[in-house]
Amino acid sequence: MFRKAFNSVLATFAAANINEDRHELLHGKETLHGTDLEPLWTQFKAEFEHISPVNLDQTAMFTFFQNVDKVIEHNSKDIKTYTKVINKFSAMTFEQFSDYFNLEDNQENAE
């Protein structure tokens, strides 16, 4: 019984991948509509809430949507050297990200 439940959980995790499920949208091949926002946020929370460094509240939701816009804008470019994706940091502002990794401290130490 445990094995069956465990395999079911693994299949759920394997099936849920926001970057694959929303590939066309995140690469600018589909237009982002207001009706896409709630399902996108719901899927993000389902995949990353347990590992997100920030509380996924309403403020984080708005930050997430701003970051999704940046992902789409970047990935829509014809010439790029890398592809942006949605990950556990996608609901963080740059300041939160910088604080999380102590980037200011690292830059001061490098000088």
Side-chain angles (χ1 to χ4, degrees):
M1 177 145 174
F2 174 76
R3 179 178 285 167
K4 184 176 181 181
F6 182 72
N7 288 337
S8 178
V9 169
L10 285 180
T12 301
F13 283 129
N17 184 322
I18 196 167
N19 294 295
E20 289 178 11
D21 295 346
R22 308 295 179 147
H23 183 270
E24 299 296 310
L25 178 69
L26 295 174
H27 286 79
K29 295 177 182 166
E30 291 179 3
T31 304
L32 179 63
H33 299 284
T35 55
D36 296 318
L37 299 180
E38 184 179 344
L40 194 60
W41 176 244
T42 300
Q43 185 172 5
F44 172 76
K45 287 194 314 182
E47 287 184 46
F48 297 107
E49 189 166 37
H50 62 288
I51 58 173
S52 176
V54 293
N55 182 21
L56 298 182
D57 57 11
Q58 190 169 14
T59 302
M61 179 182 67
F62 290 117
T63 300
F64 171 73
F65 293 138
Q66 289 172 338
N67 290 333
V68 166
D69 282 339
K70 292 175 186 176
V71 167
I72 294 169
E73 181 181 343
H74 173 84
N75 290 345
S76 296
K77 295 177 182 175
D78 290 333
I79 300 172
K80 59 186 171 291
T81 57
Y82 63 96
T83 300
K84 289 188 176 185
V85 297
I86 302 298
N87 61 35
K88 69 180 183 178
F89 306 112
S90 294
M92 297 174 77
T93 64
F94 179 77
E95 291 76 19
Q96 290 171 321
F97 186 82
S98 180
D99 288 346
Y100 183 78
F101 285 106
N102 300 313
L103 296 181
E104 289 181 13
D105 293 340
N106 290 337
Q107 187 173 7
E108 290 173 7
N109 291 335
E111 293 175 356

